[in-house]
Amino acid sequence: MAKYIFVAGGVMSGIGKGIAVSSIGRILKSKGFKVTAIKIDPYVNVDAGTMNPIEHGEVFVTDDGVECDQDVGNYERFLDENIYTDNYLTTGRVYQAVINRERNLEYNGRCVEVVPDIPNEVISRIKRAGEKTKADFILIEIGGTVGEYQNMLFLEAARMMKLSYPRDVLFILVSYLPIPKKIGEMKTKPTQYAVRTLNSAGIQPNIILARSARPLDEIRKRKISVFCNIAPEDVISAPDIETIYQVPLNFEKENLGNKLLKKLNLKPRKKRDLKDWEIFVNNAQKTVKIGVVGKYFKTGEFTLTDSYISVIEAIKHAAYSLKRKSVISWLSAEKYEKNPDLVKELKKYDGIIIPGGFGTRGIEGKIKAIEFCRKNKVPFLGLCLGMQLAVIEFARNVCHLKNASSSEFSKNKEAVIDVMPEQKVLLKEKKYGGTMRLGAYKCKIKPGTISAKTYKDLIISERHRHRYELNNNYRKILEKNGLVMAGINPEKDLVEIIENKNHPFFVAVQFHPEFKSRPLRPHPLFRGFIIQCLRS
Ligand code: GLN
């Protein structure tokens, strides 16, 4: 029988629950078990695709085209396993399924009720995900924090599962212990409240992961033990650390993996094997400086980089594999718009990335940055919108199509980037949710290109999330002027990769390679890019 470990958050959100789940997954995998992870997001949105990245953070895309929470990206990265649609639940998805079934008379005329029908739907989805992946362990992250109205039905589902399978279900609470500046002491009271709230939902945690700025001392461990009804050794210290990839190693210092196995009457199938991981985390000696020109950074006084999480991680993986630590600078495209002269600062970086994005803000600034990289031979990697803008820049400045643009930004210009006919219909009918070109598509690479060299393969598959494409009517003129169409989708004959000749590394892709980068298997394009950054 598969084992289920539910992970809930106490006190506040944003304390690394997703990383905790991912790390536990990695540890269990290293002990010889097959692991999968499920994300439950309590919001009503059917998926994360319709949400603003500043508010919600990055939208991650799976191979089967689900637009989901960035934690799913963490699961894929830490577990080195693909996660599919069944592993992503939202209130919207669950209710939608129940309502559809009710409309189809599948409840045989009986009254359909919030409890137990909604928790039952949650349970059947969790089980289905486990069965499909044939996992020994199914880790389930319940989004938000305990006590929130929104996740009550999911906690109810968890409680019901424990009742049905008492020996196969565990609960972990990830809680936060603040250290108020004026007091200078780590406080356990909020965690005590969180556990009581969880208790009132009928759940007792088996493990508490105590997140804090500093490690937990024995006094606090004992206090939590007494007040939260848990053995002191089951309170695990989880202090802030430099990189998320150290978390599995830190948990293992407290023997978390074996503690979980023991509670479930299991023995490790393999001796501890996080060696590769340890080498990967401690490998970097020198640095590589990467500039990312984007726009989803600012919220009030704060700089948020959550919107580009997969790009950041892909840079890190590639850099680590070359024994480098990446130093990433966030460069606001809008400042190049206001003051084009500032683009000269891009010379300071070993390489420049322009990531994906939507809407018109910052567009002209990004185009200026691309022009600078092209002319000054600065290594450049364009991702999705980054590729579309590289095409516009080339059309304007090399092909002399002064009005070149994308129909996403302006209607009456030369649309070198345009919307596909089937997308036009969707937009007209306001069918926005889940209707972009999403998920994995094949791409055929042209031999002899930089892409062919970096991928070492001529047929690849990459994940997409966009509505607009390079307009095939302009392909000839772009090619005649020297733009290399280095990758083509064979089914739809769409351009997926462009390269600039006479440049050490100018590669821009319509897809999102960052979604497929893994710590121990860095993405070839990011690796190729960093290699060139170190050469230039
Ligand atoms: N806005 C562009 C499109 O929809 C690019 C999207 C992206 O960068 N993910 O095609």
Side-chain angles (χ1 to χ4, degrees), residues 3 16 51-52 82 117 200 211 255 291 350 376 416 462 477 505:
K3 308 291 178 193
M51 278 183 264
N52 178 339
N82 279 355
D117 291 303
S200 68
R211 285 280 298 113
N255 233 341
D350 297 317
N376 294 282
V416 290
E462 293 283 4
I477 179 166
F505 194 103

Side-chain angles (χ1 to χ4, degrees), residues 356-359 383-385 388 408 436 465-468 512:
F358 294 84
L383 309 171
C384 206
L385 178 70
Q388 298 175 352
E408 181 180 5
M436 285 189 242
R465 181 175 185 247
H466 56 98
R467 239 179 252 288
Y468 297 81
H512 290 273

Side-chain angles (χ1 to χ4, degrees), residues 34-282:
K34 184 154 174 50
V35 184
T36 193
I38 295 177
K39 176 72 197 266
I40 296 180
D41 272 325
Y43 41 68
V44 180
N45 302 58
V46 171
D47 58 41
T50 51
M51 278 183 264
N52 178 339
I54 288 190
E55 191 185 321
H56 176 266
E58 175 190 86
V59 175
F60 188 78
V61 181
T62 58
D63 246 18
D64 59 353
V66 189
E67 297 172 282
C68 50
D69 186 81
Q70 54 186 302
D71 279 326
V72 175
N74 286 323
Y75 306 160
E76 285 204 351
R77 285 186 279 271
F78 277 69
L79 293 173
D80 199 358
E81 302 274 348
N82 279 355
I83 302 283
Y84 296 98
T85 181
D86 286 307
N87 290 43
Y88 181 53
L89 273 73
T90 65
T91 296
R93 287 191 139 200
V94 173
Y95 270 86
Q96 200 176 45
V98 170
I99 292 169
N100 284 344
R101 204 169 301 125
E102 182 275 328
R103 291 289 82 185
N104 296 343
L105 271 182
E106 286 175 48
Y107 290 99
N108 299 326
R110 75 167 169 82
C111 175
V112 183
E113 307 201 71
V114 171
V115 180
D117 291 303
I118 297 295
N120 274 340
E121 173 66 20
V122 173
I123 292 170
S124 77
R125 281 173 172 247
I126 291 172
K127 283 191 186 161
R128 194 168 69 207
E131 278 155 19
K132 275 204 183 161
T133 50
K134 298 196 175 65
D136 303 304
F137 278 92
I138 297 115
L139 310 179
I140 307 115
E141 178 182 352
I142 302 183
T145 41
V146 295
E148 263 173 51
Y149 197 73
Q150 284 205 104
N151 58 20
M152 251 148 53
L153 291 170
F154 297 108
L155 290 174
E156 182 67 359
R159 182 192 66 78
M160 285 160 70
M161 274 196 90
K162 177 78 177 172
L163 186 68
S164 308
Y165 313 104
R167 279 192 212 111
D168 305 307
V169 176
L170 290 183
F171 294 110
I172 297 179
L173 179 75
V174 184
S175 194
Y176 193 73
L177 288 91
I179 308 173
K181 220 175 174 179
K182 286 274 183 305
I183 307 169
E185 187 199 329
M186 191 185 280
K187 299 307 241 177
T188 62
K189 194 68 58 87
T191 297
Q192 297 177 34
Y193 283 123
V195 172
R196 277 201 202 135
T197 312
L198 202 53
N199 288 162
S200 68
I203 294 170
Q204 168 63 29
N206 302 94
I207 296 275
I208 294 179
L209 297 178
R211 285 280 298 113
S212 189
R214 294 213 299 268
L216 205 64
D217 59 9
E218 279 309 310
I219 296 179
R220 248 96 346 210
K221 268 197 182 182
R222 277 201 301 272
K223 209 165 178 183
I224 294 176
S225 160
V226 172
F227 287 103
C228 301
N229 196 22
I230 187 167
E233 62 271 21
D234 290 336
V235 184
I236 309 286
S237 171
D240 288 350
I241 34 176
E242 206 190 318
T243 139
I244 52 171
Y245 298 112
Q246 276 167 354
V247 176
L249 304 175
N250 255 21
F251 284 171
E252 273 306 73
K253 278 188 202 147
E254 301 218 18
N255 233 341
L256 178 59
N258 285 347
K259 283 179 187 168
L260 290 170
L261 293 184
K262 202 163 162 221
K263 287 181 190 300
L264 293 162
N265 272 321
L266 292 170
K267 290 215 161 59
R269 289 182 184 158
K270 261 196 332 195
K271 275 228 297 281
R272 180 171 173 268
D273 189 14
L274 281 171
K275 266 268 153 307
D276 289 4
W277 199 264
E278 240 170 286
I279 294 167
F280 151 73
V281 172
N282 299 315

Side-chain angles (χ1 to χ4, degrees), residues 311-446:
V311 177
I312 300 171
E313 298 311 317
I315 296 172
K316 279 193 207 165
H317 304 157
Y320 277 139
S321 78
L322 297 159
K323 295 194 168 47
R324 299 285 171 142
K325 201 178 259 177
S326 49
V327 179
I328 302 174
S329 299
W330 303 104
L331 309 168
S332 158
E334 281 155 293
K335 82 176 174 194
Y336 301 138
E337 231 160 72
K338 286 189 204 113
N339 192 349
D341 226 32
L342 285 179
V343 283
K344 287 194 193 115
E345 71 173 6
L346 298 180
K347 259 245 137 79
K348 288 198 306 220
Y349 303 99
D350 297 317
I352 297 296
I353 292 183
I354 300 210
F358 294 84
T360 53
R361 188 160 64 83
I363 290 301
E364 293 303 325
K366 289 182 192 172
I367 292 175
K368 285 264 172 323
I370 293 170
E371 182 182 4
F372 185 86
C373 291
R374 181 175 58 79
K375 289 185 173 160
N376 294 282
K377 312 232 181 295
V378 179
F380 171 80
L381 182 60
L383 309 171
C384 206
L385 178 70
M387 171 190 131
Q388 298 175 352
L389 297 179
V391 172
I392 294 172
E393 190 280 324
F394 191 87
R396 285 188 194 169
N397 299 330
V398 181
C399 309
H400 307 294
L401 298 168
K402 290 281 165 255
N403 286 324
S405 188
S406 160
S407 51
E408 181 180 5
F409 318 138
S410 50
K411 293 281 165 269
N412 306 316
K413 302 233 169 134
E414 300 233 35
V416 290
I417 304 295
D418 201 4
V419 70
M420 300 286 286
E422 63 262 33
Q423 284 287 342
K424 267 188 197 150
V425 181
L426 293 165
L427 289 178
K428 214 168 168 189
E429 292 172 359
K430 295 201 165 148
K431 290 191 175 147
Y432 301 122
T435 60
M436 285 189 242
R437 178 143 87 103
L438 290 168
Y441 283 86
K442 269 203 194 117
C443 169
K444 228 172 128 185
I445 294 183
K446 190 169 176 178

